[in-house]
Amino acid sequence: MYTYMEYLQKCYYKSIGWNEDNIYSNITATSNALLEFSIPNGIKIDNSNKTTDYSASSFTLSNQHQINGSLAYLYSSIPLTNTMGTKEISLQDAIAGFKIIEPVLLVNKQLNSNLNSKSSSLLYGRMYFPGSALEAMLIKRISENTQLLIKCISNPHLEKNGTMIVYLQNNKTKYSRELIFSTNELLLGVRCLYNLGSSLNSKINPNLIPKFDNSVVSIGTELWYAARTMSPGLSTALRYSTRSTSTGKPLTMTLAINPILGHVSSTYTVKTSVASTFCSKYDFNFFSYASNLSLGFELYSYSRKKNNLKSFPIKNDLPPTNTEILNQIRSIDNGYQIKPDLVSSKTLNNQAVTTAFQNLVNESDFSSVLKVSTSLNDKMMKLLWEGRCKDILVSTGVKIALNPTTNTPEVNRLGISFSYAC
Amino acid sequence: MSFNINWKQIDDEKLSYLCKDILTTALNSGKSPSILASNIIIKDLCFGKIAPDFEILEIGELDKDRFRGIFKINYEGDFHLTLHTKVHANPLHIYENNSIDSFITPNFVLASQEFAIPLDLKLSDIKISGIGIIVFSKSKGLTLVFRNDPLDSIKVSSTFDTVQVLANFLQKQIEDQIRDLFRETLPTLIHQLSLKYLNLDNNINELTSRLGNIPNTSSTSALKLDDEDLIYSAKNLQQSLQLFKSRETMSLNIPKFKNIIQRTNLDKINKISHYPNLLNSLSSNHSDLQKYQNHHNNGIPIEILIDNFNKTDHILKDISSIQATNFYKHTNKDAPVPKRRTIKMKKKSKPSSMESTFVTTTPVSEVTQPATPATPSTTSTKSSKIQQPTPQRVKPQNLYEEFIKSTQTPPGYDNKVIGVGLGNSNILNFVPNRGISTSPIKTVKSQEKSINYIDINKINKKLNQIKEEKKFQPGINHQDSFGYGGIFEFTAPPPYKY
C-alpha cells in the first residue's frame, strides 16, 4: 500500500507526464509488487490531509520502540487535482499491483503542451520523533524530459550525520538514462533502459498502429561502483510486456542477470482475470548452483455496494478539456482518442477486446485484496490483506517462516496499518 | 623455578566439548559483523600433545596475601583450531543491509543479490614466547602483564588461500588481533576472573575476622550476617574450623557437635594403602597376593606362603629385597651393616612331614616389634584352649636370663608357621636395637597355653646362664642364637602372667 505521500508523488508524475515505468529500477516492478510486498510491523496509523491543491500534510504513529511517529509536509508547484481521499480512491491506485506497460508517446505531448510544467517542482519533508531524524526530497524538472531528484536524510546515528543521494534522470519514450550519486560510501551509478516495439516508433502515426500489436520489449542495464569500499555492481534486465489478443489479458515476463555473481532471475506474471493476478519467479546461480522458486498471487474482491457502471468511453468523443483529461487520468486508454471513421470496424473489435479488459480492470470497484507470496528456498510465506473499511484503508499481514533449527513454523512479522486521507 | 604442566589432562573429550560450546556461544554472541552470512561454528579444536613451558624466573615478593614474580612462558606445540562460517561476497548487498533508511538507497535490480560463500579458517603452529610480570594481591586480584609481544608467529590458512591478496589480508588481520589479545584482552580477563574468585574468599575472611578469637563454638549463634552473598552459615563454618584444627593437633579438646558421634579418621590409619607395608609392596609384584589383604595388622598372612608354595623362593626373595632397600634408604652410610638373623629349627620328636621341609626354609621369629601386635592367623590343632595374656608387674632382676633360658623353639612352630611379618621373620628382618616386647612365644611343655605365652622362667634361666658364662659387655655378640646386636641389660619389660 502506498503511503499518502507516495500516492501524491505518483499523481505529480502523472500530471507532468513522467512515465515511471520507464525507469530501470521499475523494470521488475510487477513481480516485486506481487512477491516482495512488505508486511507492516506492529501497529501503524497514518493520517493525512490535502490542505490545498498544492500542499498536503501527514502524521503517522507506530508502536516500534514503544512509540514513535513522524510528521510530513509536501508542496507541489503544479496543482494536484486528481487525487482522491481514502473514501473514494480506487484500490488499484492505492495498492501496487500489475503494471501495464503502455507507450505514452501521445499522452506526453498532449499533456505537456497543456500544462505549464516546464519548471515544476515537488518538495517534501518528514520529521521523525522521538530523536531528531529528518528526511527531505526535492524533484525539480529541468527540461522537458530531464529531472533532478535529490533525497537526503539527517540522522545523528549515522557516521556523518546524514546522507544525500542525487538522481539525474532523462526520460524519453524510447529510452531513459540515469546518473546517480550517493554520499554513502561515495556510490556512483549509471542506469539506462531502452524500449523496443513497433508502437514506439515515432515515425509511424500512432493512430494507425493496430491496437493488438502493443507488446513492448524493454532492455536495461545498471552499473554501480562504491568508491570508498571499491565494490562494483552490475546487472542487466529484459522485460517483455504484452497482451493476449483474444482475451486482452496482459502478461509480463522479465529476465534479469547479474554477471559478476552469476545470478539469473526470471519472472512470469499474468493477469488471469479482472480480479486476480499470478506470478512466479525462478532464481538460479551459476556458481553456487543455488536455486529458488517463488510463487505469488493476488485476489481482489468486489465491494458489496452497487457501483454505477460507467459505459466504455471508447466511442465517446470527449472534448479534450483540461478537466476531462485530468479526470480520466486513471485509465490512460480513455485519454486515447480514436476517431471512429479512421479505423475499420474490425480493428475496432480487436481494439474493443484488448481495451475492454483493461477498462474493466480499471473501472471495477474492489473493496479488498488478498496477496499471498511464498519462497521455497527460504521456506517462507507472506499473507497480506488490504482493503477499505468504512473510510479507512486497512492493511494487515503476517509472515510465516519455517525455523531451520526446530522445523516448526514461526511468525516473523505481524502487523496492521490504518490509513486515512481526505 | 619451572613447572611441569600435565598437558595430557587437557586432551579430555569432555573438556574439549565444553571448550567448543563456550567458544561457539562467545563467538556468536553480540551483533555479528555485516560481512558474515551465518553463525560461526567450530569445526575442530585440538589442544595438541606438547605442553607449554612455564617458568618463574624471579620472585620479588612472597607473602601470605601478596605475590609478585617474573615468569616466562614458551609454547611451540601443535594446537590448532578450525572455524567455519559463511561470508557475503557481494559488497553491494552489504551496502544495502547497512544503509539505515531505505529512503536513500537506490533500488538495485539484482546488483545487490545475496551471495554467500562458505569459509573455513584454520589457526595452527602458534609460537608463543613471552616474559611477563605476575602480581597477585588478595585485595586487588591478579594482574598479568607481558613485557614483550608474546606472539612469535601463527599460521593462518583458509579456503581463500588461492587468492593471495585475501590470504595475506587474513593473515595480517588475525596476527594483529591475537597480539592485541595477549597484550590487552588477556590481562583484563584474568584480572576480572581473579576478582570474581577472590570475592567469595574475601567474604569468608571477613567473617572470621568478625568472629574474632571466639574459642567456644556455642557463642557464635548470636552472630548476624550482613553479607547476603554468603551461602554458608557462619556458625557452622566456625565449628568446622575448630574441629579441623583440633584434629591436626594433639589437643584433647574436641569440639562437640549435637547429635553426632565422632570418630577419628580411622581409615587413615587402617587403610592399608595409605601406609606402605610389606604386603602392599609384595602384592605390587605378585598381583595374586592382593587377596590376602589383611586389614587388622601389618603382618603378612601365612597363607601367602602356604598356598603358593611353588613360588615361595620367589616371594621370599622379594620380601628380602624390599626390606633391604627399605633399610638402606633410611639409614646413613655409617650405620653398621645388619646381618640376617638365622634361626635353626630343631625338629625333635615330631615326625617331619612334607610340610616340614617347607617349614625349615621358612624361619620363624620369636620376637616381634612392639608396635605390631601379631595376631596369629593359624590355628594350632594341638592347642585347644587359648588363654588371653594379661599384663603383670614383675621384679626387674633376672628377667632377661629367665627369658632366654625359657625360650626355645615352641613345638607349635615346627609344623606351622604362624606369621611371616616385619617383626616375625628373623632371617629377613633386621630388627634395630629394640627391647624385647611381648611376643607370641610359647613354651614347649604347656600346650594349653596360648602362643602369646612367654615362659619367663626359662628366659631368666638362660639369661643367668649366659651371664655366668661371660661378662656382660655392651657390644656386639653375633653368636647369640637370637641374633641380637648386643645383649644388654634392661629393666622389666612388661611380662605376662603365666
Side-chain angles (χ1 to χ4, degrees), chain A residues 167-181:
Chain A
Y167 297 75
L168 186 61
Q169 296 170 321
N170 187 6
N171 195 350
K172 298 194 172 129
T173 320
K174 223 146 164 8
Y175 64 88
S176 81
R177 298 176 301 195
E178 266 181 287
L179 190 65
I180 302 150
F181 172 72

Side-chain angles (χ1 to χ4, degrees), chain B residues 18 25 33 46 63 92 98 178 210 212 218 250 277 294 313 341 344 358 395 402 408 413 469 474:
Chain B
L18 181 70
T25 2
C46 174
D63 202 353
L92 278 184
N98 281 348
I178 298 212
R210 237 190 266 163
S218 54
M250 304 280 280
N277 58 6
N294 199 344
D313 275 345
R341 210 184 303 147
K344 295 192 182 80
F358 165 69
K395 305 178 221 47
E402 285 179 355
Q408 292 174 25
Y413 287 82
E469 281 167 16

Side-chain angles (χ1 to χ4, degrees), chain A residues 25 135-136 151 158 163 165 167 182 184-185 187 191 222 224 231 233 235 256-258 261 263 285, chain B residues 89-92 95 98-116:
Chain A
S25 55
E135 63 184 33
K151 291 188 191 176
L158 289 179
T163 316
I165 186 165
Y167 297 75
S182 167
N184 185 13
E185 287 185 28
L187 183 74
R191 299 207 286 219
E222 65 177 354
W224 297 96
S231 19
S235 85
I257 300 176
N258 186 335
L261 303 177
H263 197 101
N285 192 316
Chain B
N90 190 1
L92 278 184
Y95 175 93
N98 281 348
S99 90
I100 196 171
D101 198 346
S102 63
F103 186 65
I104 45 136
T105 49
N107 289 335
F108 298 105
V109 175
L110 218 69
S112 62
Q113 179 68 32
E114 177 181 10
F115 190 57

